Amino acid sequence: MDRAQKEKLVEELGQIFESSGVVVVSHYEGITVAEMQDLRARMREAGGSVRVAKNRLAKIALEGQPCASIAEFLEGMTVLAYSEDPVAAAKVVNDYSKDNDKLVILGGAMGDNALDVAGVKAVAAMPSREELIASIVGCIAAPASNIAGAIGAPASNVASILSTIEEKAAA
């Protein structure tokens, strides 16, 4: 790799570190090509990406970035998983590491916040953006259905009272 390619790679990594909601660093020693392709496919489905880069170049790209704290994890055979969604990459890597012992989570970063292994697992346990949106929509829609029920209820109550009065008058 010549100097121009290295500079381009550092620039690309810098953009990744700047724009990602979460970056997870893991060791991948012993993972086969097929297993890595499976990890990449899962990450793509979740809206994230996986990147293997030279640790030295990644450390250069991390200088001045909000997630610079992950530089300490860049030792040995490391893979970077990242996504704009602050939860997606952590979920995929956490799930994959449960299925494959060869992928070992080292830590990560969520913006300025450094994450250790427990932090990455805690982020992975959080609901995704889509789940949160569905929950908010449900909360917004619930009062509307309650109002519709309340508006319809008095009419049925009045009809019930009138039929009871009519039955008593007829008796």
Side-chain angles (χ1 to χ4, degrees):
M1 187 181 284
D2 68 354
R3 184 173 180 86
Q5 290 173 321
K6 288 179 182 178
E7 288 175 358
K8 183 179 178 187
L9 179 62
V10 167
E11 185 180 323
E12 287 175 12
L13 288 171
Q15 289 174 350
I16 288 169
F17 294 138
E18 188 176 326
S19 65
S20 297
V22 67
V23 178
V24 180
V25 182
S26 305
H27 272 164
Y28 70 99
E29 191 168 358
I31 288 184
T32 65
V33 172
E35 291 170 333
M36 184 59 82
Q37 287 175 338
D38 182 38
L39 174 61
R40 289 178 193 276
R42 289 186 193 187
M43 192 64 73
R44 241 187 330 272
E45 287 175 18
S49 296
V50 174
R51 185 73 183 253
V52 176
K54 290 188 175 274
N55 292 333
R56 188 171 38 84
L57 296 177
K59 287 179 182 179
I60 292 170
L62 279 168
E63 291 175 8
Q65 297 292 339
C67 58
S69 59
I70 66 171
E72 67 184 90
F73 301 123
L74 297 174
E75 299 288 328
M77 295 180 68
T78 56
V79 62
L80 302 170
Y82 56 93
S83 63
E84 287 183 30
D85 182 341
V87 179
K91 269 189 194 291
V92 172
V93 171
N94 187 49
D95 292 345
Y96 194 82
S97 69
K98 289 177 185 174
D99 298 339
N100 191 330
D101 297 343
K102 298 172 194 167
L103 185 73
V104 179
I105 299 171
L106 301 175
M110 193 174 192
D112 293 338
N113 302 321
L115 303 171
D116 58 358
V117 176
V120 171
K121 291 183 179 189
V123 169
M126 294 171 64
S128 68
R129 180 181 295 162
E130 289 77 21
E131 292 169 340
L132 285 174
I133 290 171
S135 176
I136 290 170
V137 168
C139 289
I140 292 171
S145 64
N146 290 345
I147 290 172
I151 291 172
S156 64
N157 288 346
V158 170
S160 173
I161 292 170
L162 289 176
S163 69
T164 304
I165 293 172
E166 187 177 324
E167 288 172 9
K168 285 186 181 183

